[in-house]
Amino acid sequence: MLTEIENYITPMSKLLYIIYNKDPDNIRRLKQLSGYTTQTVYNNIRVMKELGLADIIVVNKIRRKVILTEKGKKIARLVGDLIENLNSELK
């Protein structure tokens, strides 16, 4: 997905990028796309929420969806630009 560059970005940045670009339906799908453990995903979502980068929407009793605030979207766009620039530099 993100090639070898994903080793150089933080889990939170990668999760922001995935939420912004892929818009996963629920947290389980976010975990699958990122490749991180459930604990890592939940810890990073909690920190994102504390920083005001993301909110959690309850879809139904079981499913929850993470959405980005405007601040989170700006950071996700910056991360996306960084990843694209690094990918072009490596080619």
Side-chain angles (χ1 to χ4, degrees), residues 1-89:
M1 184 178 85
L2 297 175
T3 66
E4 64 272 0
I5 293 171
E6 66 187 23
N7 295 327
Y8 298 104
I9 60 174
T10 64
M12 188 182 307
S13 299
K14 184 177 175 184
L15 290 171
L16 284 169
Y17 178 73
I18 291 170
I19 294 167
Y20 183 72
N21 284 331
K22 304 287 184 188
D23 192 30
D25 292 340
N26 55 32
I27 295 175
R28 181 182 297 157
R29 179 79 175 126
L30 178 60
K31 181 176 130 346
Q32 291 170 348
L33 290 171
S34 67
Y36 294 131
T37 64
T38 304
Q39 195 63 43
T40 301
V41 171
Y42 275 104
N43 285 344
N44 280 285
I45 289 171
R46 182 180 47 80
V47 172
M48 284 189 273
K49 191 173 176 184
E50 289 174 5
L51 293 173
L53 302 176
D55 287 321
I56 298 174
I57 295 178
V58 177
V59 178
N60 58 31
K61 289 184 180 180
I62 299 171
R63 291 179 47 190
R64 295 183 202 133
K65 182 176 180 176
V66 180
I67 59 165
L68 297 178
T69 61
E70 287 303 315
K71 191 168 142 183
K73 288 178 185 177
K74 287 179 185 176
I75 293 173
R77 280 193 289 267
L78 290 172
V79 170
D81 291 343
L82 173 69
I83 290 169
E84 290 172 10
N85 289 338
L86 288 173
N87 273 333
S88 65
E89 292 288 325

